[in-house]
């Protein structure tokens, strides 16, 4: 059976991952996942693979297969994996974990390729559209920019001390970033390119968006 043009994948504390035909609502594939609950799902831009971020591993499944077995397992994290995503050409994957690390994984080879120490539990990681910087937010309220070319932290800021950053989102053109925290606050910055080509943050707004901690913030994609 050919796969639908729009893939809908879901995961739950019931220890399953399911694939659905979004237009008809028909579930056409179920993967039993007894080892862990799933924290995050991400599909590669080419729709070939699905990454499941779990505790403490990441597993990669072939979207176009009926096999219940993953094509690759990534085991380097030691605690809940809270963030996962892919580079635009799906050559590598990034992840963030409650073990306090951000990691880079080459999808063409097993094992962790790069690791960055955030110390505090990492709740959220996003890839800058320039594909050369990762931005992470952690439980202690730190936001860090990781320069993948220099292999180091190029920028660090703390909007509110000891207030966990729960979610980050970057504008499609890389001109804006928003961080949401445990106190219901959203911070909005304009992203600028500094003299040393590193990203700099120019404050725009502080929004008291909600009365409780925010689970997710999201900027709209590009107009087509």
């Amino acid at each position: 059976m050919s796969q639908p043009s729009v893939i809908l994948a879901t995961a739950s504390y019931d220890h399953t991952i399911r694939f659905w035909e979004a237009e008809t609502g028909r579930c056409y594939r179920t993967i039993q996942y007894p080892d862990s609950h799933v924290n995050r799902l991400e599909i590669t831009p080419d729709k070939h693979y699905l990454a499941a971020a779990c505790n403490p591993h990441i597993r990669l499944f072939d979207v176009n297969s009926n096999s219940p077995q993953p094509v690759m397992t990534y085991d380097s994290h030691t605690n809940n994996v809270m963030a996962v995503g892919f580079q635009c050409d799906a050559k590598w994957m990034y992840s963030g974990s409650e073990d306090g690390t951000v990691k880079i994984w080459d999808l063409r080879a097993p094992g962790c390729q790069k690791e960055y120490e955030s110390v505090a539990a990492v709740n959220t990681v996003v890839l800058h559209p320039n594909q050369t910087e990762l931005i992470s937010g952690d439980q202690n309220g730190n936001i860090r920019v990781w320069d993948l070319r220099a292999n180091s932290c190029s920028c660090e800021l703390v909007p509110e001390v000891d207030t966990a950053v729960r979610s980050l989102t970057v504008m499609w053109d890389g001109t804006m970033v928003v961080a949401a925290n445990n106190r219901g606050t959203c911070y909005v910055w304009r992203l600028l390119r500094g003299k040393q080509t590193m990203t700099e943050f120019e404050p725009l707004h502080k929004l008291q968006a909600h009365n409780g901690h925010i689970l997710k913030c999201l900027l709209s994609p590009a107009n087509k």
Side-chain angles (χ1 to χ4, degrees):
M1 185 194 76
S2 62
Q3 305 300 328
S5 59
V6 178
I7 300 165
L8 172 63
T10 62
S12 169
Y13 274 89
D14 67 5
H15 296 279
T16 65
I17 299 171
R18 290 178 176 167
F19 293 83
W20 306 78
E21 292 179 352
E23 293 185 356
T24 66
R26 186 178 74 88
C27 178
Y28 65 89
R29 181 184 177 191
T30 299
I31 298 172
Q32 300 296 327
Y33 204 90
D35 295 346
S36 167
H37 62 273
V38 178
N39 295 310
R40 294 286 185 275
L41 294 174
E42 192 72 25
I43 297 172
T44 55
D46 58 13
K47 298 193 289 188
H48 284 174
Y49 298 106
L50 171 80
C54 308
N55 184 9
H57 51 263
I58 305 166
R59 290 198 173 143
L60 197 68
F61 294 91
D62 188 339
V63 168
N64 300 305
S65 168
N66 287 322
S67 171
Q69 301 303 316
V71 296
M72 189 76 73
T73 298
Y74 304 92
D75 286 324
S76 220
H77 283 298
T78 59
N79 208 330
N80 259 319
V81 182
M82 302 303 294
V84 66
F86 295 98
Q87 179 255 5
C88 63
D89 295 325
K91 292 180 179 178
W92 49 267
M93 175 177 69
Y94 61 89
S95 61
S97 169
E98 289 180 346
D99 65 12
T101 64
V102 174
K103 295 179 185 284
I104 301 290
W105 315 81
D106 189 333
L107 295 187
R108 298 162 295 184
C112 172
Q113 308 303 310
K114 294 181 180 181
E115 179 178 313
Y116 305 104
E117 291 284 345
S118 183
V119 183
V122 176
N123 296 321
T124 177
V125 183
V126 292
L127 177 62
H128 192 289
N130 63 21
Q131 306 294 298
T132 63
E133 293 174 304
L134 290 172
I135 307 174
S136 67
D138 69 29
Q139 193 68 18
N140 287 353
N142 302 292
I143 296 172
R144 293 185 174 92
V145 179
W146 305 97
D147 187 328
L148 305 184
R149 296 164 299 184
N151 210 28
S152 65
C153 179
S154 62
C155 181
E156 182 176 348
L157 68 157
V158 184
E160 291 184 49
V161 177
D162 294 329
T163 302
V165 176
R166 303 300 310 179
S167 181
L168 289 164
T169 180
V170 180
M171 193 75 169
W172 63 271
D173 59 0
T175 59
M176 186 181 297
V177 64
V178 179
N181 70 21
N182 264 5
R183 293 183 178 173
T185 308
C186 282
Y187 288 86
V188 184
W189 294 273
R190 181 178 287 113
L191 291 182
L192 306 173
R193 301 304 296 176
K195 294 181 181 179
Q196 304 299 321
T197 72
M198 66 179 64
T199 292
E200 295 180 352
F201 290 67
E202 180 183 274
L204 288 179
H205 307 292
K206 176 183 177 182
L207 309 174
Q208 192 55 50
H210 298 277
N211 295 324
H213 66 267
I214 299 174
L215 297 175
K216 184 72 176 177
C217 62
L218 188 65
L219 288 166
S220 59
N223 293 325
K224 293 184 178 181

